[in-house]
Amino acid sequence: MYSFEGQFRRRPQVRLGGASGAERREQAIQRAQLERSRRAQTERHQLCAGRLQAFVRGCLGRARLRRRLREAFDAEWTAERAALSAAAAPDASLVRRLAARLCWFYRADEEDWRRLVALCQLLLRHAPLRDALAGSYPLSRLLLFCVQSLGGAADGGRSLAVPQRLLEVSLDGAAAAAHLQYLVPRSYFGHMRRLLEARVPPLEEDAVQAPVPQAAAVLLLLQQPLRLAQRPGPLSDVILAEFAGCFLQPRFSSQVRHWLLPALAADGTFPLARCLQVLSARRQQLPPSTWLLFSLLALGRDALDAQPAEVRLLYLELLDWASAHLRPRWSSERVDEDDSDDEMAAAESPEQRQEADTLEEALAVLDRPAHVQALRRLVDDAAPESGAVRALCGLCYHLISRERLALHKYRLLYTLAFSKSFLRRLWAVVEQCSSPASLFGERRSLLQTVAAGTDLPADERERLVPPLAAFCALFAHMLVTLQDGELVGAAPLFPLPQLVAMSAALRDVYLGLVQLAYPDLQPSVSSTYSSALRSVGVPAARPTDGEAAAHWTSLLRSVNALLWQLQSRDARLAFCPPGHWSERTQPLTAERIPEVVALFKADLQAFRPFAGPVRYSRDELEAGSPIVSSRDVRMMLLLRQLPFVFSFPQRVQLFQELIRQDKHGAQSELDHFMAGAGNAINCNIRRNYIYEDAFEKLSPDNEPSLKPRMRVKMVNAKGLDEAGIDGGGIFREFLSELLKTAFDPNRGFFRTTNNNQLYPNPQVELLVERPLDHYFFIGRVLGKAMYEQMLVELPLAAFFLTKLLGRHSDSVDIHYLDSLDPVMYKNLLYLTTYDGDVSELGLDFTVNVTELGESRIEELKPGGAGVAVTNANHIEYVHLVADFKLNRQIQRQCAALRRGLADVIPLEWLQLFDHRELQTLISGAAIPVDVADLRAHTKYSGGYSDDHPVIETFWRVAAGLTDRQKTQLLKFVTSCSRPPLLGFRELYPPLCIHSAGADDADRLPSASTCMNLLKLPEYRDEETLRSKLCYAIESEAGFELS
């Protein structure tokens, strides 16, 4: 092999300096390696040179062959010009020979183009010649040249009439299938798309008629192969797959979007059923896209009802598959929520805006009423095992994942949300999700697998997450409007046992998802063990990838929202057994609570869910950053997102520990001993003007914070200071009387419901100046009472307590109207199920408001006085009335009181509880008084002790009292009839029984409620003690009897 330098052998290398001394071993090895690499490089150069030379010789040889064939073609055409130009058809063998030569040398330049056009004209003039060449390779090759020339129409000004006409004629004959079998795999549809976009002007609106004559010709060239695709077979599969790959799946042009797709849909000959079957079989080759989703909707929306059931089901499954790209992509980078929509829109490219617009149009087509009803009929008519419900819920899941308010935006979603039959079938699908049979032939529910904190393989995750997330979102949306009777009544949506089991399953799934979100350890196994697991069908543990994280995060939010709805209903209706929500949660032990309190203020945003175990960098560890384990993060997440999975006593202990630690910084120890020391609050209060003086002296201007210890000196009606030093008792008496005065309905700040429960007065502005300042003050005082762990008997309305908590919103729904006005609630529910014509009732969108004896009309919405309530809008009317009564009328009052409450106790602490538990936190538990517990935590003074005969008699009498008398005794001594939340060990100050002397045996027992002090004379016998004690406690008097 000769090199390019002309050297044919290697020159010998001669060392003129003579042989050197013995080289070292390392140098010898290095020299041998260098020589070896040089020889290998030389061999590679020689091999490449040989290939280049062969390629050049081949190119030159083919060029010489094409030149000879072209000369032979021209010579024979010139020699046979007369025969070729005659009216009679020339010899078919001559034409076949010419066509074969043209196929060899054709290169699409001007000279070859003229030869192709001349041969095409010859075939068009003589039909027998076309018939003789029909189905042959030369004719198929000529047609390919015609297709390529049409596809290159934008490159020059050539006339396309002749090749286009030959294509039309050839593809309309008996041999069309043979020609298409050759043309379609060679980018037939790609060339047709380029022709369409080059010769048809862009369009702005949909058009069915051809905008230019060339458009009709292109449509004909597309319809001819599509008609052949009606018949099942390999050719049909190839045609439809290539058509989808060129027109349905890639980015649209305006010609495809506004003319081709509408024209194909209106033509009625498009093979929709076969196209769906081919797309279903080739999902791996055609990834989902916005364009494919739009194409399916454009071609199938009007023809869906005419298709058989199996085709409609396939259409629904493909919509589910094509909409998968709507899911948000998971990213490890945190998105700045402060970025405005305008900035995001400005950052979009024209292609992104086009895709966004096309997607909106596709979703608008999907959400058309007729299309939604067609999908509903399809699911209703389908058998349970058909997979229709699963496909439709997958489509719903993709829509829900796309945007937060999807349930309010898309007709499909809120239509299905109010379909009870669909929700029942959807939950059945969720329950049936199971893993494949194991080695022992057992199938395990995927709900149980996730509840155990085990990750799922991708295929099992795809089977569980879409139906479960869709069910949670749809059911939660329905629960807002579902009446209590429809949930737990005679004909409920789900039977009560099934509803309880469902709530338990969802609770366990949420706990398992939290375990998955913040795992303790990164799963790691050897490759050999992973292979062994896969060989028997068991997936090996693996870290969660980005797609799985997006799935789990979406499911976590959906399950959380539904659990809050169910627990809120259970808090009012109590359909779950006691301890139902907390039976699976690891309890918060007394030793664990201080640690949890220390972590309660941790920033959970720093720990991204489903991103693996919590890890710390070396810099963070060296900087002394607090170490938070995955277990701590899970507990913090549950306490903030789903606190009711911990028992109420555990949360009360946590709440009290939070307050105790907060007091440590807010209240100085010097406040106990020295007046004016520390940061204690000192105030003089006139007993006859408790509220007025407190409002002035404890205002935010005078006392920015009410957390410090407070000393109160009471002033009597004569203006003299009452005797005594406030060691805590006077302050407690003052705070108790202040709250009773503030919440007294006669003062005007609050009203009572029919059940004598308190809520803010909607007309307070007519009675008091600056009412919001008063509500802010009342909120601070109520917060101070809770901060000091005082129990105050204030029966607050359920809807009012719920608005104070305001976990998700400060508005409450219609179901809480029962706690405000049961009669109105009953009437509104009756209106929702009214069978007659609602317009005959003469209602409009207004409500009558009475203010100090005068009535006025309030519109429920702008122009409501002119809008009649009809069967079409009566549901809206019902919810607007409830919203007006529960939210609009007292919105400002509740917001001000809520701000005042949060000024003392962070709302995050109070949101550990629901409205029933918050009432218990304020007023104590409505449970019988445990006399044994009370005795165990009672102190004695004045000569009494636990074994004193009078004390033993007292406790025998107390144990024999009725439950009502026991509560009266407790109220007589402490001013509150309910025991402390965690027992009498939490009562402060502790109950003390003081001897009133043996000479006053005729006197009644008396009490100092400010000190929880019972003054008990030394009665001689049990009967006297019982009669005197019962008389005293039933007279509901205390201090004045002393």
Side-chain angles (χ1 to χ4, degrees):
M1 181 66 63
Y2 291 94
S3 65
F4 288 104
E5 288 81 7
Q7 298 179 1
F8 58 91
R9 65 179 181 180
R10 187 174 59 184
R11 293 180 178 179
Q13 296 183 3
V14 180
R15 293 183 179 179
L16 300 178
S20 62
E23 59 183 349
R24 292 191 300 177
R25 180 174 179 273
E26 293 79 5
Q27 294 176 343
I29 294 175
Q30 186 177 4
R31 179 177 53 78
Q33 291 177 345
L34 182 59
E35 292 177 354
R36 189 180 303 113
S37 63
R38 288 174 178 173
R39 288 194 300 270
Q41 186 176 7
T42 302
E43 292 175 358
R44 285 196 300 271
H45 287 173
Q46 293 175 351
L47 180 61
C48 293
R51 290 176 179 173
L52 286 173
Q53 292 168 3
F55 175 76
V56 171
R57 287 196 300 270
C59 291
L60 295 176
R62 286 189 293 273
R64 287 192 297 269
L65 178 59
R66 283 196 298 271
R67 187 166 54 251
R68 288 197 299 268
L69 292 174
R70 191 176 285 111
E71 293 172 354
F73 178 90
D74 293 341
E76 192 164 6
W77 185 278
T78 304
E80 302 293 339
R81 183 181 299 276
L84 296 174
S85 303
D91 183 20
S93 60
L94 171 63
V95 178
R96 186 186 301 272
R97 196 163 52 249
L98 292 173
R101 290 172 178 168
L102 182 64
C103 292
W104 274 101
F105 67 75
Y106 184 78
R107 281 297 175 269
D109 54 19
E110 285 299 325
E111 295 296 328
D112 288 349
W113 164 255
R114 285 196 292 270
R115 295 182 181 95
L116 175 63
V117 171
L119 190 56
C120 291
Q121 291 174 338
L122 179 64
L123 293 174
L124 286 173
R125 287 200 306 269
H126 303 290
L129 291 178
R130 293 197 307 273
D131 296 339
L133 296 178
S136 64
Y137 172 79
L139 183 56
S140 297
R141 187 74 175 169
L142 289 178
L143 294 178
L144 177 61
F145 296 154
C146 294
V147 170
Q148 293 172 345
S149 64
L150 295 177
D155 300 335
R158 296 174 179 174
S159 175
L160 306 178
V162 174
Q164 181 174 305
R165 181 56 184 163
L166 181 61
L167 268 175
E168 294 173 358
V169 172
S170 301
L171 297 184
D172 196 35
H179 295 310
L180 287 172
Q181 195 165 4
Y182 181 81
L183 295 175
V184 171
R186 291 165 175 80
S187 192
Y188 173 83
F189 289 110
H191 290 298
M192 291 299 105
R193 174 162 182 165
R194 286 191 287 273
L195 175 63
L196 174 68
E197 295 171 352
R199 293 304 177 94
V200 177
L203 303 175
E204 297 294 335
E205 298 179 352
D206 290 356
V208 176
Q209 300 297 328
V212 293
Q214 187 64 43
V218 175
L219 181 61
L220 178 61
L221 292 175
L222 292 174
Q223 288 175 330
Q224 287 173 329
L226 291 177
R227 291 194 187 99
L228 287 177
Q230 294 279 9
R231 297 187 295 271
L235 178 60
S236 174
D237 295 347
V238 172
I239 290 174
L240 292 173
E242 292 293 330
F243 177 78
C246 291
F247 286 98
L248 305 184
Q249 197 272 340
R251 181 178 298 274
F252 288 160
S253 61
S254 64
Q255 294 89 337
V256 175
R257 160 68 185 86
H258 292 295
W259 178 73
L260 180 61
L261 291 179
L264 290 175
D267 179 67
T269 61
F270 182 78
L272 179 63
R274 285 290 302 141
C275 184
L276 296 178
Q277 293 170 1
V278 172
L279 289 176
S280 178
R282 304 204 175 195
R283 298 184 189 184
Q284 299 298 328
Q285 292 80 11
L286 293 173
S289 67
T290 298
W291 325 103
L292 186 56
L293 176 63
F294 184 90
S295 301
L296 288 172
L297 292 166
L299 296 173
R301 65 190 180 195
D302 298 327
L304 188 59
D305 290 333
Q307 301 296 328
E310 59 272 12
V311 175
R312 287 182 289 153
L313 176 59
L314 188 58
Y315 171 77
L316 179 57
E317 292 176 349
L318 287 174
L319 286 184
D320 173 27
W321 163 70
S323 60
H325 73 288
L326 298 179
R327 302 174 188 171
R329 294 292 180 258
W330 188 88
S331 174
S332 60
E333 299 295 332
R334 186 176 302 172
V335 179
D336 187 3
E337 296 180 357
D338 296 334
D339 292 342
S340 65
D341 294 339
D342 294 338
E343 293 175 349
M344 296 177 64
E348 286 183 342
S349 64
E351 292 78 10
Q352 291 174 325
R353 285 196 294 272
Q354 180 199 9
E355 183 172 2
D357 294 342
T358 304
L359 180 58
E360 290 299 327
E361 294 177 9
L363 296 180
V365 173
L366 173 68
D367 213 40
R368 288 181 180 178
H371 192 257
V372 171
Q373 293 304 319
L375 295 180
R376 278 202 61 185
R377 287 194 299 271
L378 168 60
V379 174
D380 293 340
D381 298 340
E385 65 278 2
S386 64
V389 175
R390 179 176 292 278
L392 187 55
C393 74
L395 179 59
C396 295
Y397 171 65
H398 300 151
L399 292 175
I400 294 169
S401 301
R402 181 173 181 264
E403 51 188 303
R404 183 171 299 177
L405 299 178
L407 279 158
H408 301 276
K409 179 179 179 180
Y410 297 112
R411 182 189 308 272
L412 175 64
L413 295 179
Y414 58 73
T415 299
L416 294 176
F418 295 113
S419 174
K420 296 181 180 180
S421 60
F422 179 76
L423 288 178
R424 294 190 189 101
R425 296 179 66 180
L426 184 51
W427 179 246
V429 169
V430 173
E431 289 183 311
Q432 292 168 5
C433 291
S434 59
S435 59
S438 64
L439 293 175
F440 304 100
E442 298 178 354
R443 298 176 65 89
R444 188 181 186 189
S445 170
L446 295 183
L447 289 176
Q448 297 177 357
T449 303
V450 175
T454 305
D455 199 1
L456 298 177
D459 57 337
E460 294 182 359
R461 189 173 60 243
E462 287 291 341
R463 288 207 308 272
L464 175 67
V465 174
L468 180 55
F471 172 80
C472 292
L474 297 177
F475 190 27
H477 188 72
M478 185 188 194
L479 275 175
V480 177
T481 59
L482 195 67
Q483 301 177 19
D484 292 342
E486 295 177 294
L487 185 65
V488 296
L493 173 61
F494 294 99
L496 190 56
Q498 185 182 14
L499 183 62
V500 174
M502 176 197 301
S503 63
L506 293 173
R507 174 205 64 202
D508 295 344
V509 165
Y510 188 86
L511 296 177
L513 288 174
V514 172
Q515 176 73 31
L516 278 176
Y518 302 101
D520 289 321
L521 297 174
Q522 187 76 20
S524 176
V525 296
S526 65
S527 58
T528 305
Y529 184 64
S530 299
S531 302
L533 289 175
R534 287 192 295 269
S535 66
V536 294
V538 179
R542 62 210 178 283
T544 306
D545 58 10
E547 183 178 359
H551 273 290
W552 292 134
T553 303
S554 175
L555 181 60
L556 189 72
R557 294 171 180 168
S558 299
V559 175
N560 179 273
L562 179 56
L563 284 174
W564 270 108
Q565 288 274 6
L566 291 174
Q567 194 274 341
S568 176
R569 288 296 185 99
D570 181 52
R572 293 191 298 106
L573 305 176
F575 56 83
C576 291
H580 170 80
W581 297 104
S582 58
E583 65 181 12
R584 273 287 310 277
T585 313
Q586 184 178 0
L588 283 172
T589 61
E591 297 78 11
R592 178 74 173 148
I593 285 180
E595 301 176 14
V596 175
V597 170
L599 297 168
F600 199 78
K601 298 179 181 180
D603 183 15
L604 275 183
Q605 298 295 328
F607 306 101
R608 191 173 184 86
F610 304 103
V614 178
R615 295 185 176 90
Y616 293 90
S617 65
R618 177 178 295 180
D619 294 338
E620 291 174 328
L621 294 175
E622 292 177 351
S625 301
I627 304 302
V628 181
S629 66
S630 296
R631 178 191 177 196
D632 297 332
V633 175
R634 291 197 299 269
M635 185 163 291
M636 287 298 97
L637 179 68
L638 290 176
L639 284 170
R640 294 183 181 182
Q641 299 297 328
L642 215 66
F644 52 82
V645 298
F646 296 96
S647 66
F648 177 59
Q650 293 173 6
R651 284 178 280 136
V652 171
Q653 290 180 10
L654 175 61
F655 177 73
Q656 292 180 350
E657 183 65 21
L658 285 167
I659 291 180
R660 189 190 67 81
Q661 293 195 13
D662 192 71
K663 278 185 177 180
H664 184 71
Q667 298 183 358
S668 170
E669 293 296 329
L670 291 176
D671 298 340
H672 285 292
F673 310 106
M674 302 174 59
N679 56 351
I681 300 174
N682 298 280
C683 55
N684 296 332
I685 303 295
R686 293 175 294 173
R687 185 170 290 276
N688 292 341
Y689 299 93
I690 287 181
Y691 181 85
E692 290 78 3
D693 289 356
F695 177 73
E696 177 185 355
K697 296 179 181 180
L698 299 181
S699 65
D701 294 335
N702 295 326
E703 299 295 341
S705 174
L706 293 188
K707 289 185 179 182
R709 186 169 283 104
M710 186 180 297
R711 283 198 187 88
V712 179
K713 180 174 285 295
M714 302 299 296
V715 179
N716 61 22
K718 295 183 180 180
L720 301 177
D721 293 346
E722 295 184 359
I725 298 176
D726 185 10
I730 299 177
F731 160 69
R732 296 174 70 85
E733 179 191 7
F734 156 72
L735 201 58
S736 177
E737 292 298 325
L738 175 59
L739 284 171
K740 290 179 182 178
T741 304
F743 282 89
D744 185 358
N746 294 323
R747 184 165 287 273
F749 294 120
F750 292 88
R751 282 185 176 181
T752 57
T753 66
N754 295 338
N755 298 328
N756 292 322
Q757 295 179 329
L758 298 167
Y759 71 98
N761 184 0
Q763 281 81 46
V764 67
E765 294 182 351
L766 302 177
L767 304 174
V768 182
E769 295 182 359
R770 299 184 300 134
L772 299 185
D773 293 342
H774 288 272
Y775 282 109
F776 181 81
F777 166 73
I778 295 172
R780 295 180 87 200
V781 174
L782 180 60
K784 178 65 174 177
M786 298 177 68
Y787 193 77
E788 299 295 339
Q789 300 181 26
M790 281 184 57
L791 297 181
V792 186
E793 290 195 63
L794 296 175
L796 305 179
F799 78 93
F800 173 47
L801 289 169
T802 305
K803 290 174 70 66
L804 287 182
L805 291 175
R807 170 172 288 274
H808 302 292
S809 171
D810 59 354
S811 298
V812 294
D813 55 41
I814 186 175
H815 306 298
Y816 287 92
L817 186 60
D818 187 36
S819 64
L820 173 63
D821 192 339
V823 176
M824 177 178 287
Y825 177 67
K826 182 178 179 181
N827 292 337
L828 289 177
L829 292 186
Y830 173 75
L831 184 60
T832 61
T833 58
Y834 186 67
D835 297 332
D837 186 0
V838 177
S839 60
E840 295 178 354
L841 301 178
L843 300 174
D844 55 24
F845 279 79
T846 60
V847 64
N848 189 19
V849 179
T850 302
E851 296 178 347
L852 301 180
E854 298 182 359
S855 297
R856 64 180 178 86
I857 301 299
E858 185 83 17
E859 290 187 338
L860 297 176
K861 64 179 183 179
V867 181
V869 179
T870 64
N871 289 347
N873 60 16
H874 70 289
I875 299 297
E876 179 188 8
Y877 170 78
V878 166
H879 286 275
L880 286 178
V881 171
D883 180 69
F884 179 81
K885 291 291 185 181
L886 294 172
N887 301 313
R888 287 173 54 186
Q889 278 194 308
I890 58 174
Q891 181 179 9
R892 299 171 65 235
Q893 295 92 315
C894 289
L897 197 147
R898 191 166 178 255
R899 289 195 304 272
L901 186 62
D903 187 65
V904 181
I905 299 180
L907 288 179
E908 188 180 25
W909 298 0
L910 296 178
Q911 288 170 350
L912 292 169
F913 310 96
D914 60 31
H915 71 273
R916 289 187 311 171
E917 296 166 341
L918 180 59
Q919 179 68 70
T920 304
L921 210 62
I922 294 172
S923 302
I927 56 176
V929 177
D930 187 348
V931 176
D933 183 46
L934 179 60
R935 181 175 184 176
H937 297 90
T938 298
K939 308 296 182 182
Y940 305 97
S941 64
Y944 280 155
S945 63
D946 188 61
D947 56 357
H948 193 282
V950 176
I951 295 301
E952 291 182 347
T953 303
F954 171 79
W955 288 120
R956 284 197 303 272
V957 171
L961 298 176
T962 64
D963 289 342
R964 182 173 181 275
Q965 288 174 326
K966 290 177 183 177
T967 59
Q968 289 176 332
L969 172 62
L970 187 62
K971 185 175 183 180
F972 179 78
V973 180
T974 66
S975 77
C976 183
S977 63
R978 296 181 179 182
L981 300 177
L982 301 179
F984 286 100
R985 64 183 175 87
E986 299 293 333
L987 183 64
Y988 180 81
L991 176 68
C992 182
I993 302 179
H994 179 77
S995 173
D999 299 333
D1000 295 333
D1002 294 334
R1003 293 183 58 186
L1004 294 172
S1006 60
S1008 296
T1009 57
C1010 61
M1011 296 296 295
N1012 295 338
L1013 179 67
L1014 174 62
K1015 301 175 183 178
L1016 183 67
E1018 297 181 12
Y1019 298 111
R1020 297 181 177 86
D1021 56 81
E1022 182 176 334
E1023 187 60 33
T1024 302
L1025 191 151
R1026 177 181 292 106
S1027 62
K1028 295 287 187 179
L1029 181 64
C1030 290
Y1031 183 84
I1033 62 178
E1034 291 175 355
S1035 65
E1036 297 185 352
F1039 186 79
E1040 64 270 18
L1041 296 177
S1042 57

